[in-house]
Amino acid sequence: MTTLKPVTVYDIAREANVSVATVSRVLNNTAPVKKSTREKIVELINKYQFQPNALARSLSKKVTGMIGVILPDITNPFFPEVLAGLEQEARSKGYTFFLCDTVSTNGDSKEQYERESQYLNILLEKQVDGIVIIGGRINLARPTKEHVNEVIEVSKRVPTVLINGSLPGHPMNRVFADEREGAELATQHLIDLGHRDIAFAGGYRGMSNTLQRIQGYVRTMERNGLAVRKEWLLDGGFSVESGKRFMNQLLQMEERPTAIFCANDLVAIGVMKVAYKAGLQVPQDLSLIGFDDIPYAANSIPELTTVSLKGYDVGRGAADMLHQLITKSKASKNTRVRPELIIRETTTPPR
Amino acid sequence: MTTLKPVTVYDIAREANVSVATVSRVLNNTAPVKKSTREKIVELINKYQFQPNALARSLSKKVTGMIGVILPDITNPFFPEVLAGLEQEARSKGYTFFLCDTVSTNGDSKEQYERESQYLNILLEKQVDGIVIIGGRINLARPTKEHVNEVIEVSKRVPTVLINGSLPGHPMNRVFADEREGAELATQHLIDLGHRDIAFAGGYRGMSNTLQRIQGYVRTMERNGLAVRKEWLLDGGFSVESGKRFMNQLLQMEERPTAIFCANDLVAIGVMKVAYKAGLQVPQDLSLIGFDDIPYAANSIPELTTVSLKGYDVGRGAADMLHQLITKSKASKNTRVRPELIIRETTTPPR
DNA sequence: GTGAAAGCGCTAACAC
DNA sequence: GTGTTAGCGCTTTCAC
């Protein structure tokens, strides 16, 4: 705690009988330095455990090597996955991370968007080299003009890439998993198994990702000549809790689906729990397919069939794109990663 | 992408016909400014969307408001929990986060420790106001002298708190969940249920947290006059995979325990899966108790009995302690949070 | 190969 | 109330 007085380039320079410029040169390998003086300087650096002040350096170089990540809730298992991909790729390129979790303690989404705004400002002030945004307002089907503009403005000042989201009407650099295709994969899988009575559960109608999933579901149903029953289109959440609620609703109905396509794995887990408690066997009595392929999906009993949104890959892709943007100030505006159907144990032909 | 030329206090000052000092004053509310001039300045700030450069500010104020977090693997569900607590508390105090994930892609722990060293340096250079370390080398039963010294040195320069770990022989600021107590709680619970043949599975002998858990287990067994069989003391991992391995080993033995205390929830999940596939009912044929209480524990089928290490609370505690350290440069050196037994569905009396 | 000095953008004495 | 100015610690021309 007793903060030591920090050593600076001047201290090193003085003791080495050289100028700060020379010290800087050896620090950055930015120009040839006579071997003997270089050695003396290096020695001093080690002796004093000299750590160049990154703030000062960044201030003059106008590069921080930091990239800011804005996400809605690190506690949602989907995000650590993409963060890991992001991290791995970005680190290899020398970047370091600024984590901005916008989760609101009271679950108020207005508070969340406010927090996003704050963080956007903070990141700008901190002079990050790039920003990646995932979740939150960029998943809104109809974001407010202010929310959109804010992001647009930010992206004019610092390279920004969106993950799995967009700003309707504004082309942005983004990398995304094709959610519609994923939903089609899921639905078709169920249909191929012989299901005709398929429900969709989860998500929020106000969110574009939900809309895309529903769209994929509806399209695939129709393409196969199957009816979409709107009472089987249950939305209102992405959580385990909401999954439980959905299943309870379904349990009340006299006509029940033989399979449920859940908006994400968490919902599927909730559904499965309630189904189980109600005495239904999964998949014998009810087939279930999730979405996202969070780590736990492979470990539930039975193991959850799902579609992988390739969080890790998406994360890497984002880091890569951001790096392009930062260095070459250009990049393909879009990277689409294709989801993958992961067949495990919760889907089987209907009785 | 087209980076706009940034506006500075000088620009604002010039246009407002005042000095930069005055601009700074309204920015920081650090001295009274005549209402009319303040208004003019504020107006200009809005007009140009002026964002003060945090690097410059921090350089001169010698405070960054950033705290660095070093953790082993954000993908392990225990960490997001403590990160969330940390975040929530730290944010309320105006701090912002630097995330350093030291996970090594190839699973090489040497690489991980190296990464820790790198990040320690980076954080120092970035002039973070505080550092929190969780996992990694601070969980080693016998860390190398260099690893220890490095952390010691760092902690001399910037307030540092360790979460759930320590440096043997060196008092450090730390907040931790009492793992031994947790292990006692778990073991006693099993014993109270009537189990006598209790195995312990998971962890690494080289890690202090494992040792503490084992110690709690052994002590409780002995205190109850129960034998600890060393062939039922299985270690070698904290993952679902290792849990599967442990259960397979147990399955080979002619004498099997009626209950298993798993070193963490992930292991318990692995054990449960293999047990299930082997036709064993949990908890009827085999009681299982986990450790950590990761979010998933409440959602498995059956729901996992476990002991909560209060990750969120620990995180908050760490943020709090760090803040004390940063502002008052002192704090209680230790905060111990007491674990809690969470009885769910995987434990029951033996047949 | 090396040094002097002018920034980078902000804060904080210290004057007035 | 407000301005001047000297830093904060580093990089980077431009000379030599």
Side-chain angles (χ1 to χ4, degrees):
Chain A
M1 284 98 297
T2 22
T3 309
L4 271 40
K5 66 286 156 200
V7 178
T8 74
V9 279
Y10 283 93
D11 301 321
I12 303 291
R14 189 178 331 110
E15 188 153 344
N17 281 314
V18 298
S19 75
V20 292
T22 302
V23 176
S24 177
R25 285 183 187 110
V26 349
L27 241 29
N28 300 288
N29 234 299
T30 183
V33 173
K34 198 188 347 168
K35 192 162 181 217
S36 65
T37 78
R38 147 170 276 118
E39 279 167 356
K40 197 190 309 172
I41 291 172
V42 169
E43 190 187 329
L44 258 10
I45 287 176
N46 292 327
K47 173 176 170 194
Y48 290 112
Q49 302 240 64
F50 170 62
Q51 314 255 28
N53 182 323
L55 297 175
R57 173 182 311 206
S58 293
L59 182 57
S60 88
K61 303 210 347 174
K62 299 180 151 326
V63 176
T64 56
M66 303 192 306
I67 95 175
V69 182
I70 299 185
L71 52 73
D73 181 10
I74 189 62
T75 260
N76 177 329
F78 178 69
F79 298 116
E81 208 68 15
V82 354
L83 203 53
L86 210 48
E87 234 269 342
Q88 128 97 329
E89 190 67 21
R91 176 168 53 202
S92 78
K93 298 185 158 63
Y95 295 102
T96 205
F97 274 95
F98 226 96
L99 184 66
C100 308
D101 188 328
T102 61
V103 76
S104 74
T105 8
N106 57 29
D108 178 7
S109 61
K110 186 161 295 177
E111 190 183 322
Q112 182 190 348
Y113 303 136
E114 230 161 72
R115 198 107 66 192
E116 289 177 3
S117 303
Q118 286 172 218
Y119 273 130
L120 246 14
N121 277 320
I122 291 179
L123 291 179
L124 248 29
E125 296 183 355
K126 300 272 187 197
Q127 312 295 121
V128 295
D129 291 343
I131 295 178
V132 2
I133 305 178
I134 172 167
R137 70 175 67 172
I138 68 168
N139 279 344
L140 255 24
R142 306 180 65 256
T144 68
K145 243 192 182 44
E146 295 79 53
H147 285 162
V148 171
N149 282 338
E150 220 172 37
V151 177
I152 301 284
E153 285 308 313
V154 166
S155 73
K156 282 184 189 157
R157 290 160 176 268
V158 28
T160 302
V161 359
L162 310 187
I163 291 186
N164 286 0
S166 63
L167 296 181
H170 297 268
M172 295 283 294
N173 299 297
R174 54 199 217 94
V175 10
F176 62 98
D178 190 327
E179 316 224 19
R180 180 157 42 220
E181 181 182 351
E184 291 175 359
L185 250 29
T187 312
Q188 191 63 52
H189 169 61
L190 258 13
I191 294 173
D192 289 347
L193 248 21
H195 292 276
R196 301 182 53 82
D197 299 322
I198 305 173
F200 176 93
Y204 292 103
R205 295 295 179 94
M207 295 177 66
S208 55
N209 54 6
T210 302
L211 260 24
Q212 282 162 24
R213 292 171 202 194
I214 290 179
Q215 208 171 105
Y217 158 74
V218 171
R219 262 142 83 136
T220 307
M221 290 293 277
E222 291 176 345
R223 186 183 306 132
N224 286 269
L226 263 24
V228 170
R229 301 220 210 166
K230 66 171 176 310
E231 70 273 26
W232 286 353
L233 241 166
L234 275 20
D235 66 326
F238 274 123
S239 65
V240 173
E241 274 321 305
S242 59
K244 291 182 182 174
R245 206 173 58 240
F246 300 140
M247 189 62 207
N248 276 320
Q249 290 175 235
L250 249 14
L251 248 19
Q252 311 283 52
M253 305 183 184
E254 61 263 43
E255 289 200 90
R256 297 210 296 250
T258 60
I260 306 179
F261 169 20
C262 300
N264 73 359
D265 294 341
L266 260 16
V267 167
I269 289 169
V271 166
M272 185 149 65
K273 285 200 70 69
V274 169
Y276 174 82
K277 300 229 167 179
L280 293 176
Q281 300 264 12
V282 171
Q284 296 84 344
D285 299 319
L286 179 67
S287 280
L288 243 37
I289 187 166
F291 212 77
D292 281 357
D293 194 30
I294 59 178
Y296 187 74
N299 297 316
S300 64
I301 300 177
E303 296 175 10
L304 190 63
T305 292
T306 188
V307 359
S308 167
L309 248 31
K310 303 289 186 63
Y312 192 84
D313 293 348
V314 167
R316 292 192 57 159
D320 197 61
M321 180 181 287
L322 204 46
H323 181 62
Q324 303 282 334
L325 254 22
I326 293 173
T327 54
K328 316 180 191 2
S329 87
K330 57 162 294 248
S332 48
K333 259 210 167 337
N334 274 278
T335 298
R336 162 165 166 269
V337 352
R338 306 193 61 174
E340 183 187 353
L341 179 65
I342 311 277
I343 301 178
R344 288 200 269 247
E345 305 172 339
T346 57
T347 48
T348 202
R351 285 235 150 103
Chain B
M1 284 98 296
T2 22
T3 309
L4 272 40
K5 67 286 156 198
V7 179
T8 73
V9 278
Y10 283 93
D11 301 320
I12 303 292
R14 188 178 332 108
E15 189 153 344
N17 281 315
V18 298
S19 74
V20 290
T22 302
V23 175
S24 177
R25 283 182 189 111
V26 349
L27 241 30
N28 300 287
N29 233 301
T30 183
V33 172
K34 196 185 356 168
K35 193 163 181 215
S36 65
T37 79
R38 146 170 278 117
E39 279 166 356
K40 197 189 310 170
I41 292 173
V42 169
E43 190 188 329
L44 258 9
I45 288 177
N46 292 328
K47 172 176 170 194
Y48 289 113
Q49 302 239 64
F50 169 63
Q51 314 256 30
N53 183 322
L55 297 175
R57 173 184 309 207
S58 293
L59 182 57
S60 91
K61 303 213 339 178
K62 300 181 149 327
V63 176
T64 56
M66 303 192 306
I67 94 177
V69 182
I70 299 185
L71 51 73
D73 180 10
I74 189 63
T75 259
N76 176 329
F78 179 69
F79 298 116
E81 207 69 14
V82 354
L83 203 55
L86 211 47
E87 235 270 341
Q88 129 97 328
E89 190 66 21
R91 176 168 53 202
S92 78
K93 298 184 160 63
Y95 295 102
T96 205
F97 275 95
F98 226 96
L99 183 65
C100 308
D101 188 327
T102 61
V103 76
S104 74
T105 8
N106 57 29
D108 177 7
S109 60
K110 186 161 292 177
E111 191 183 322
Q112 181 190 349
Y113 302 136
E114 229 161 74
R115 199 106 66 192
E116 289 177 4
S117 303
Q118 286 172 219
Y119 273 131
L120 246 15
N121 278 319
I122 292 179
L123 291 179
L124 248 29
E125 295 183 355
K126 299 271 187 197
Q127 314 294 121
V128 295
D129 291 343
I131 294 177
V132 1
I133 304 177
I134 172 166
R137 70 176 68 173
I138 67 168
N139 279 343
L140 255 25
R142 304 180 65 255
T144 68
K145 241 189 184 46
E146 295 79 53
H147 284 162
V148 171
N149 283 338
E150 219 172 37
V151 177
I152 301 284
E153 285 309 313
V154 166
S155 73
K156 283 183 188 157
R157 291 161 176 268
V158 27
T160 302
V161 356
L162 310 186
I163 291 185
N164 286 358
S166 62
L167 296 180
H170 296 269
M172 294 283 294
N173 300 297
R174 55 196 217 95
V175 10
F176 62 99
D178 190 327
E179 316 225 19
R180 180 155 43 220
E181 182 181 349
E184 291 175 359
L185 250 29
T187 312
Q188 192 62 54
H189 169 61
L190 259 13
I191 294 173
D192 289 347
L193 248 21
H195 292 276
R196 301 181 53 81
D197 300 322
I198 304 174
F200 177 93
Y204 292 103
R205 294 297 178 95
M207 295 177 66
S208 54
N209 55 4
T210 302
L211 261 23
Q212 283 161 24
R213 291 170 201 194
I214 290 180
Q215 208 172 104
Y217 158 74
V218 171
R219 260 141 85 135
T220 307
M221 290 294 276
E222 291 176 345
R223 187 183 306 133
N224 287 270
L226 263 25
V228 170
R229 302 222 212 164
K230 67 170 174 314
E231 70 273 24
W232 285 354
L233 240 166
L234 275 20
D235 66 326
F238 273 122
S239 65
V240 173
E241 275 322 305
S242 59
K244 291 181 182 174
R245 205 172 58 241
F246 299 141
M247 189 62 207
N248 277 320
Q249 289 174 238
L250 250 14
L251 249 19
Q252 311 283 53
M253 305 182 184
E254 60 264 42
E255 289 199 90
R256 296 210 296 250
T258 58
I260 306 177
F261 169 21
C262 300
N264 73 359
D265 294 339
L266 259 17
V267 167
I269 289 168
V271 166
M272 186 150 62
K273 284 198 72 68
V274 170
Y276 174 82
K277 301 229 167 179
L280 293 176
Q281 299 264 12
V282 172
Q284 296 82 346
D285 299 319
L286 179 68
S287 281
L288 241 39
I289 187 167
F291 212 76
D292 281 357
D293 194 30
I294 58 178
Y296 188 74
N299 298 316
S300 64
I301 300 177
E303 297 176 10
L304 190 63
T305 292
T306 187
V307 359
S308 166
L309 247 33
K310 304 288 185 65
Y312 192 83
D313 292 348
V314 168
R316 293 192 57 160
D320 197 61
M321 181 180 287
L322 203 47
H323 181 61
Q324 302 282 334
L325 254 23
I326 293 172
T327 54
K328 316 182 191 1
S329 85
K330 56 162 295 248
S332 47
K333 259 210 167 336
N334 274 277
T335 297
R336 161 167 167 267
V337 350
R338 307 193 61 174
E340 183 186 352
L341 178 66
I342 311 278
I343 301 177
R344 287 199 269 247
E345 305 173 341
T346 57
T347 47
T348 202
R351 284 232 150 104

